[in-house]
Amino acid sequence: ESQVIQVADLGEIASFSFEAPAQEPLHFEKKDGVWICTEDEELELEQTYPEGIVDTFASLTATRRMDEIDALADYGLEEPSYVISLQPADGKSKKELTLLIGNSTGDEYYLQIEGQEDVVYTVASSAVGNLDHSLADMEKAEDDEETETIDE
């Protein structure tokens, strides 16, 4: 029976950013209840993408916690594949949290909280899957478009 290990409990998130392999870092902010990407504020986002990331990482749970860490490189955490930073809306009682995500191990990934170098967690790969979307993926589809063009 796997125990639930709470990694993050941030409540409402005001903004977040993430870096994923082979794409530019992206920053998101909630303005008037709507998530926007600060790199392109005109772009209408399909809100399920940023919501999914926030829902997952603001209250992230791990499957395992390891305290005896030899080398971060063993877990892919010396140069993490993904980095996500979350800024809580309540900045007084909760600080910004940066999560580093390293190698995958089966259906899990190694994860570390920035500033806690001696602890490594494993989290479900489904959590990390939320980060595997480019900004183009997150763009809200036009309802009136019949044909879809594919960029070569």
Side-chain angles (χ1 to χ4, degrees), residues 9 15 31 35 38 53 66 85 99-100 120 122 138 145:
D9 183 14
S15 64
K31 281 195 176 163
W35 288 104
T38 56
I53 292 170
M66 298 171 285
S85 295
L99 301 170
L100 313 174
V120 170
T122 55
M138 296 186 198
E145 281 183 4

Side-chain angles (χ1 to χ4, degrees), residues 3 9-10 19 23-24 34 43 61 65-66 76 82 94 102 113-114 126-128 141 148:
Q3 64 192 95
D9 183 14
L10 296 175
E19 294 173 44
Q23 70 177 37
E24 294 294 306
V34 176
L43 190 72
T61 56
R65 174 189 165 124
M66 298 171 285
Y82 303 85
K94 298 181 191 266
I113 299 172
E114 195 173 72
S126 57
V128 179
E148 205 170 337

Side-chain angles (χ1 to χ4, degrees), residues 4-133:
V4 172
I5 302 158
Q6 194 80 36
V7 177
D9 183 14
L10 296 175
E12 186 85 12
I13 299 296
S15 64
F16 69 93
S17 61
F18 73 90
E19 294 173 44
Q23 70 177 37
E24 294 294 306
L26 295 173
H27 302 80
F28 298 87
E29 242 171 64
K30 202 164 202 179
K31 281 195 176 163
D32 304 322
V34 176
W35 288 104
I36 58 156
C37 178
T38 56
E39 277 78 14
D40 185 354
E41 299 197 4
E42 298 302 300
L43 190 72
E44 267 193 80
L45 296 178
E46 190 56 68
Q47 295 294 303
T48 50
Y49 289 108
E51 290 292 349
I53 292 170
V54 165
D55 289 350
T56 298
F57 288 97
S59 58
L60 186 66
T61 56
T63 46
R64 209 154 48 112
R65 174 189 165 124
M66 298 171 285
D67 294 290
E68 309 277 313
I69 302 308
D70 295 329
L72 289 178
D74 295 347
Y75 303 95
L77 290 163
E78 209 164 73
E79 291 179 18
S81 303
Y82 303 85
V83 177
I84 176 163
S85 295
L86 302 142
Q87 191 68 52
D90 176 3
K92 289 191 183 68
S93 66
K94 298 181 191 266
K95 296 197 298 290
E96 180 178 20
L97 181 70
T98 298
L99 301 170
L100 313 174
I101 299 166
N103 295 340
S104 65
T105 159
D107 53 3
E108 297 178 319
Y109 278 83
Y110 293 116
L111 174 137
Q112 185 176 51
I113 299 172
E114 195 173 72
Q116 294 182 16
E117 270 71 35
D118 50 352
V119 181
V120 170
Y121 299 93
T122 55
V123 295
S125 56
S126 57
V128 179
N130 284 300
L131 302 177
D132 279 328
H133 299 288

